Amino acid sequence: MQPTIICLTPSAGMIYLNGRFAGEASPQRPLFAPVSPSGALYLEYVPLEGDCGGMARRLVLSGGVPLAEPLADADGLCCVAWPGGALEIELTPPRHGVERFTLEGLPCAMSRGSSATLSLNGVPVALPDGAGLPRLLRLNGAAALMGKTEGGEQYLAALAADLSAQTGLLTADVIEPGDGGLFSAFASLNDLVGHGQLEQWLVDGEGLHCVSAESAWGAGGPRRPVDAGETMIAAVEAALAGLPGESQGYLSPALAAERPLDAVGEICDLCVPMKYGVPDARPCVGLLRAPNDHLATVRPLYYRAEPSVAPQSPWQIEAIWLE
């Protein structure tokens, strides 16, 4: 089957394929274009608005699917290979720049590119991608930097008391400082029903340490699946989170006894709704596997569901197939 690329861009811009103008893409109107199922594919994105630069990247296709190795270092490009030959390609040119400022009179420079690095009085401090400017916290026998990311998360970088070295880094949805160098953090699993982890971290002269962790709900309680597809996704996500009892609660008793999802973590990293059409008429969800940060492949997980009165979901999974 001849693959079709779907180019997604952060702003309106021109797309060139193998040196030829292919059309314009924007967040509202991705570019769809058929491509050869094998060989090198050269993509170029030239923005028509905004202040970010353009970019050019190379994919190598084999059997309609990109090879993982050529994409391992493809900063600014993410590709998802869907069943049926749909190749979703997101092009986000890295922003390069240096912002200079001071913290308590100390000279600082925030360098942004494929990653974020802070120079604090000449000491390099690694920060998460999209990190904003931090504030400096003085602790008992240690120090820390706290800030937010462009995606709305918060980060905590642990430092030696004299600011001579970085000793740890934590990123979570919410981080709140407490007494004695303790910090409370909530990290969402970003799954359908709202699982998360509530953790206590200590910053001291030895670094950053997790002193306690417990499961928690991001919204104070679980979000109930509303249809059969969400029920299937919730079952897989619970299995991936190491919650077999919860996962089996979405299955019929007969199917649960077979424990069909116990090893699902060996074949996928995430479970997602299917996009761009399905291979046949049977309902299915997608099992996504990412060999590196720039490529993911999706295979269909078919299922049959029936209405249910179970407390976890109004649907119950009766059977599943993986082909």
Side-chain angles (χ1 to χ4, degrees):
M1 180 179 294
Q2 184 177 33
T4 298
I5 62 169
I6 302 102
C7 291
L8 308 169
T9 60
S11 60
M14 297 181 293
I15 301 294
Y16 291 81
L17 300 177
N18 293 336
R20 295 184 177 181
F21 177 69
E24 181 178 331
S26 69
Q28 296 76 28
R29 298 186 64 181
L31 173 73
F32 288 71
V35 297
S36 172
S38 61
L41 175 64
Y42 300 90
L43 295 98
E44 184 179 1
Y45 165 54
V46 181
L48 294 172
E49 58 188 32
D51 57 357
C52 67
M55 62 182 292
R57 294 292 183 267
R58 177 174 67 95
L59 289 79
V60 179
L61 302 180
S62 177
V65 178
L67 298 179
E69 186 176 354
L71 293 177
D73 299 316
D75 290 340
L77 182 147
C78 289
C79 181
V80 180
W82 294 89
L87 301 179
E88 193 174 42
I89 300 174
E90 185 175 2
L91 299 165
T92 308
R95 293 180 178 270
H96 296 277
V98 178
E99 186 173 358
R100 302 186 185 279
F101 59 101
T102 61
L103 281 176
E104 295 188 358
L106 300 174
C108 299
M110 177 78 85
S111 300
R112 295 186 176 90
S114 57
S115 60
T117 302
L118 173 68
S119 174
L120 174 59
N121 200 28
V123 175
V125 180
L127 298 177
D129 291 346
L133 299 186
R135 69 182 191 272
L136 178 62
L137 305 179
R138 296 287 187 174
L139 308 173
N140 184 21
L145 297 173
M146 280 194 67
K148 295 183 178 181
T149 69
E150 292 176 353
E153 293 183 315
Q154 292 182 278
Y155 66 85
L156 173 70
L159 306 172
D162 61 0
L163 310 182
S164 61
Q166 181 178 10
T167 58
L169 178 64
L170 171 67
T171 303
D173 294 60
V174 178
I175 301 175
E176 296 181 352
D179 298 326
L182 284 173
F183 292 81
S184 298
F186 176 79
S188 172
L189 297 187
N190 296 315
D191 62 355
L192 189 143
V193 299
H195 289 105
Q197 192 87 346
L198 185 61
E199 303 167 338
Q200 290 285 320
W201 291 82
L202 174 66
V203 178
D204 60 17
E206 300 296 323
L208 181 64
H209 320 277
C210 184
V211 296
S212 69
E214 60 181 281
S215 297
W217 296 107
R223 175 188 175 274
R224 195 179 188 220
V226 299
D227 56 30
E230 286 194 353
T231 301
M232 187 69 255
I233 291 174
V236 175
E237 289 181 333
L240 291 173
L243 302 169
E246 181 177 328
S247 177
Q248 292 165 21
Y250 294 109
L251 313 180
S252 69
L255 184 60
E258 300 176 9
R259 306 180 69 89
L261 297 176
D262 281 5
V264 72
E266 298 178 6
I267 60 174
C268 76
D269 301 307
L270 295 172
C271 186
V272 296
M274 192 61 72
K275 295 175 66 175
Y276 306 115
V278 295
D280 58 40
R282 291 175 294 172
C284 64
V285 295
L287 300 182
L288 183 148
R289 188 72 162 177
N292 60 48
D293 291 341
H294 304 284
L295 174 65
T297 58
V298 180
R299 59 190 298 190
L301 177 67
Y302 300 98
Y303 65 88
R304 185 179 74 247
E306 299 291 341
S308 169
V309 294
Q312 284 185 225
S313 172
W315 291 84
Q316 191 173 69
I317 306 301
E318 300 286 335
I320 60 175
W321 305 272
L322 183 64
E323 298 178 357

